[in-house]
Amino acid sequence: MINGAQCLAEMLAGYGVSHVFMVPAVLRRTFAEMERRTSIARIHCHGEKAAAYMADGYARATGKPGVCMAQVVGALNLAAGLRDAYLAHSPVIAFTGGRDPKTKFRKVYQEIDDVPAFEPVTKWNATVDAVERFPDMVRQAFRVATSGAPGPVHLQFRGNEGQIDQEEGDIAPLVEEQFARAPAFRPVPDPEEVKKALYWLERAERPVIVAGGGARASGAAAELVQLAEALAIPVATSLNGKDCIAGAHPLSVGVVGSYSRESANRVVAAADLVCFVGSAAGGMTTHGWAVPKIGVATVQIDIEPEVLGRNYPLKAGVLGDAKVTLSQMLAQCDRKSAARRKGWLEQAKGICAEWREKVRAALESDAMPIRPERICAELTRHVPEDAIVLADTGHAGMWMGGMYDVRTRQSFMRSAGHLGWAFPAGLGAKCAAPARPVVTFTGDAGLWYHIGELETAVRWNIAAVTVVNNNASGNQSKRGFDRAYGGEQTAKARELWTYTSVDFARLASDIGALGIRVEKPRDFEPALAQALESRRPALIDVVTDIEAIAPVAVSS
Ligand SMILES: Cc1ncc(C[n+]2csc(CCOP(=O)(O)OP(=O)(O)O)c2C)c(N)n1
């Protein structure tokens, strides 16, 4: 006989969980058992949403499920934080305290029925009502989170703080190592569909590959690049798949879609065949299904059957793991067909060169306040080869998606839409991969969301580097309000998107982190070097131009 807490602590350790992220008080006994029986770090945060984002960053950095927790009153804050993980297919496991049948419906303090709120943000949403169910429910949580297209799961433990963990039962903390990391399975594709996909790719004169988050989750970057090289096919990526090909690779045309690089949209718009690999071909990646236009021939490779053909009619739909499928295609492909695409490769290269020429002045700009493009160029040059790079959404996603060149061994992770995700996600990524440098790019509006977690980073010495594009505003909104006001905004209109000017470096220093304020472009490089060398949580506050607006996506 052991109690639920002993079982849960041992199972988490057995699955290789190194950190859990939470706001107390939940599963208190389990935390005591973690201390006694395991070396799991219990990262106690300032907010449940940030805890979920940290778990998400941890998961996306390694493929290992990230674990976050909240007591009953914090459950919906945690659910809100699972929304980005759900959109990005990130394996996050959320534990919450929940209702007890002995008292439910009696107006228990702080209690509502939280379970329905987890439905839209999880792959699996369940309750643990008897201690005997700890082992199978926890195993199922890991199984669902890491199988197929990964995603979040939620377990609600009986008792507002999950006090069921104190009860004893005849239970064994068995784990299934296969589900300790995504992808748990690598389904092999139907050989006929592989042949069909190759048939269309080899005959196309202007094909392009669009690699998405599924290719990244599968670890398929090497096979993807090799196939593109073998067949002479340019590669665009979604924002989520950006680290599938180095920005400097001759076949890389950039991130396609709404938060994108113009060259990628132009190449995909000119293609006669688009091959989506691990991409749902959703609205962000296709700029609202304008790039490519519906009707262009498409091939799709995905681990989820329901994704195949959902957004574009397919010439071939291959159901399987991206890495396995691409390596089979590589083994079978007709390399001679590459000759057919010489002219197309020249055209794609020309489009990329035109784009570089167009943005060169901004990337090299010495202007003060600093241009965000210059920050991206500095990061391209100076972020270490093995770093994990994160970008928040909005302008941060546009600047980094479009202007930053990822390197072969770097990981790139981005918010799937929620402002404020990147800073805590960067802390989670650093916990998951302490030996790798972590550099997060966020706007000041993005930083404000979870700024309290600076203290968490200091307390746990989570040595991530956060770069703040500080324009004292959410200036991505400027264009929208210009439109809303019929051209020129009134001075009062600026109340809707501007903030007080704050020195975040000073604030970070006061909390105990390394804070560096950068006002001149040439000071950025030494600031980044100092931050990376400090081995402390570091914040680089870059004073940028409030008038700098990211270019909008093109459709042709
Ligand atoms: C949760 C959430 N709320 C609102 C938004 C809408 N939104 C997108 S970008 C943005 C402003 C971004 O400001 P900042 O991070 O400072 O970057 P800047 O635009 O100034 O470069 C807002 C409010 C969002 N993406 N997510």
PDB file of all heavy atoms in Angstrom, residues 138-149:
ATOM      1  N   VAL A 138      -2.623   8.624 -15.001  1.00  0.00           N
ATOM      2  CA  VAL A 138      -1.388   9.366 -15.291  1.00  0.00           C
ATOM      3  C   VAL A 138      -0.737   8.788 -16.544  1.00  0.00           C
ATOM      4  O   VAL A 138      -0.261   9.523 -17.421  1.00  0.00           O
ATOM      5  CB  VAL A 138      -0.437   9.356 -14.075  1.00  0.00           C
ATOM      6  CG1 VAL A 138       0.920   9.951 -14.434  1.00  0.00           C
ATOM      7  CG2 VAL A 138      -1.065  10.122 -12.916  1.00  0.00           C
ATOM      8  N   ARG A 139      -0.743   7.469 -16.664  1.00  0.00           N
ATOM      9  CA  ARG A 139      -0.184   6.855 -17.885  1.00  0.00           C
ATOM     10  C   ARG A 139      -0.960   7.312 -19.122  1.00  0.00           C
ATOM     11  O   ARG A 139      -0.368   7.636 -20.149  1.00  0.00           O
ATOM     12  CB  ARG A 139      -0.205   5.325 -17.787  1.00  0.00           C
ATOM     13  CG  ARG A 139       0.919   4.757 -16.942  1.00  0.00           C
ATOM     14  CD  ARG A 139       1.136   3.281 -17.235  1.00  0.00           C
ATOM     15  NE  ARG A 139      -0.006   2.471 -16.859  1.00  0.00           N
ATOM     16  CZ  ARG A 139      -0.197   1.937 -15.650  1.00  0.00           C
ATOM     17  NH1 ARG A 139       0.709   2.113 -14.698  1.00  0.00           N
ATOM     18  NH2 ARG A 139      -1.256   1.222 -15.393  1.00  0.00           N
ATOM     19  N   GLN A 140      -2.286   7.377 -18.990  1.00  0.00           N
ATOM     20  CA  GLN A 140      -3.091   7.808 -20.141  1.00  0.00           C
ATOM     21  C   GLN A 140      -2.798   9.282 -20.473  1.00  0.00           C
ATOM     22  O   GLN A 140      -2.771   9.662 -21.649  1.00  0.00           O
ATOM     23  CB  GLN A 140      -4.593   7.595 -19.857  1.00  0.00           C
ATOM     24  CG  GLN A 140      -5.505   7.913 -21.023  1.00  0.00           C
ATOM     25  CD  GLN A 140      -5.329   6.965 -22.212  1.00  0.00           C
ATOM     26  OE1 GLN A 140      -4.527   6.029 -22.180  1.00  0.00           O
ATOM     27  NE2 GLN A 140      -6.052   7.236 -23.289  1.00  0.00           N
ATOM     28  N   ALA A 141      -2.557  10.087 -19.448  1.00  0.00           N
ATOM     29  CA  ALA A 141      -2.237  11.506 -19.691  1.00  0.00           C
ATOM     30  C   ALA A 141      -0.976  11.618 -20.546  1.00  0.00           C
ATOM     31  O   ALA A 141      -0.939  12.350 -21.547  1.00  0.00           O
ATOM     32  CB  ALA A 141      -2.063  12.241 -18.364  1.00  0.00           C
ATOM     33  N   PHE A 142       0.055  10.876 -20.187  1.00  0.00           N
ATOM     34  CA  PHE A 142       1.301  10.919 -20.968  1.00  0.00           C
ATOM     35  C   PHE A 142       1.082  10.329 -22.367  1.00  0.00           C
ATOM     36  O   PHE A 142       1.630  10.820 -23.342  1.00  0.00           O
ATOM     37  CB  PHE A 142       2.422  10.171 -20.230  1.00  0.00           C
ATOM     38  CG  PHE A 142       3.092  11.025 -19.181  1.00  0.00           C
ATOM     39  CD1 PHE A 142       2.581  11.122 -17.898  1.00  0.00           C
ATOM     40  CD2 PHE A 142       4.230  11.763 -19.495  1.00  0.00           C
ATOM     41  CE1 PHE A 142       3.183  11.919 -16.937  1.00  0.00           C
ATOM     42  CE2 PHE A 142       4.846  12.571 -18.538  1.00  0.00           C
ATOM     43  CZ  PHE A 142       4.326  12.655 -17.255  1.00  0.00           C
ATOM     44  N   ARG A 143       0.256   9.249 -22.436  1.00  0.00           N
ATOM     45  CA  ARG A 143       0.018   8.594 -23.734  1.00  0.00           C
ATOM     46  C   ARG A 143      -0.658   9.566 -24.703  1.00  0.00           C
ATOM     47  O   ARG A 143      -0.233   9.733 -25.845  1.00  0.00           O
ATOM     48  CB  ARG A 143      -0.856   7.346 -23.522  1.00  0.00           C
ATOM     49  CG  ARG A 143      -1.111   6.550 -24.806  1.00  0.00           C
ATOM     50  CD  ARG A 143      -1.934   5.287 -24.541  1.00  0.00           C
ATOM     51  NE  ARG A 143      -1.242   4.364 -23.673  1.00  0.00           N
ATOM     52  CZ  ARG A 143      -1.544   4.096 -22.411  1.00  0.00           C
ATOM     53  NH1 ARG A 143      -2.592   4.687 -21.854  1.00  0.00           N
ATOM     54  NH2 ARG A 143      -0.851   3.259 -21.694  1.00  0.00           N
ATOM     55  N   VAL A 144      -1.705  10.240 -24.213  1.00  0.00           N
ATOM     56  CA  VAL A 144      -2.455  11.137 -25.106  1.00  0.00           C
ATOM     57  C   VAL A 144      -1.601  12.361 -25.481  1.00  0.00           C
ATOM     58  O   VAL A 144      -1.576  12.784 -26.632  1.00  0.00           O
ATOM     59  CB  VAL A 144      -3.780  11.579 -24.444  1.00  0.00           C
ATOM     60  CG1 VAL A 144      -4.502  12.597 -25.320  1.00  0.00           C
ATOM     61  CG2 VAL A 144      -4.671  10.371 -24.187  1.00  0.00           C
ATOM     62  N   ALA A 145      -0.884  12.907 -24.503  1.00  0.00           N
ATOM     63  CA  ALA A 145      -0.109  14.134 -24.762  1.00  0.00           C
ATOM     64  C   ALA A 145       0.951  13.916 -25.836  1.00  0.00           C
ATOM     65  O   ALA A 145       1.233  14.828 -26.625  1.00  0.00           O
ATOM     66  CB  ALA A 145       0.540  14.622 -23.471  1.00  0.00           C
ATOM     67  N   THR A 146       1.527  12.718 -25.892  1.00  0.00           N
ATOM     68  CA  THR A 146       2.696  12.502 -26.762  1.00  0.00           C
ATOM     69  C   THR A 146       2.372  11.744 -28.053  1.00  0.00           C
ATOM     70  O   THR A 146       3.248  11.593 -28.896  1.00  0.00           O
ATOM     71  CB  THR A 146       3.785  11.695 -26.008  1.00  0.00           C
ATOM     72  OG1 THR A 146       3.212  10.455 -25.568  1.00  0.00           O
ATOM     73  CG2 THR A 146       4.337  12.450 -24.825  1.00  0.00           C
ATOM     74  N   SER A 147       1.136  11.248 -28.199  1.00  0.00           N
ATOM     75  CA  SER A 147       0.797  10.420 -29.371  1.00  0.00           C
ATOM     76  C   SER A 147       0.131  11.239 -30.463  1.00  0.00           C
ATOM     77  O   SER A 147      -0.518  12.243 -30.185  1.00  0.00           O
ATOM     78  CB  SER A 147      -0.170   9.304 -28.974  1.00  0.00           C
ATOM     79  OG  SER A 147       0.424   8.483 -28.011  1.00  0.00           O
ATOM     80  N   GLY A 148       0.249  10.768 -31.715  1.00  0.00           N
ATOM     81  CA  GLY A 148      -0.374  11.482 -32.830  1.00  0.00           C
ATOM     82  C   GLY A 148       0.166  12.897 -32.882  1.00  0.00           C
ATOM     83  O   GLY A 148       1.344  13.140 -32.639  1.00  0.00           O
ATOM     84  N   ALA A 149      -0.696  13.859 -33.226  1.00  0.00           N
ATOM     85  CA  ALA A 149      -0.276  15.252 -33.073  1.00  0.00           C
ATOM     86  C   ALA A 149      -0.337  15.533 -31.573  1.00  0.00           C
ATOM     87  O   ALA A 149      -1.392  15.389 -30.961  1.00  0.00           O
ATOM     88  CB  ALA A 149      -1.198  16.180 -33.840  1.00  0.00           C
TER      89      ALA A 149
END
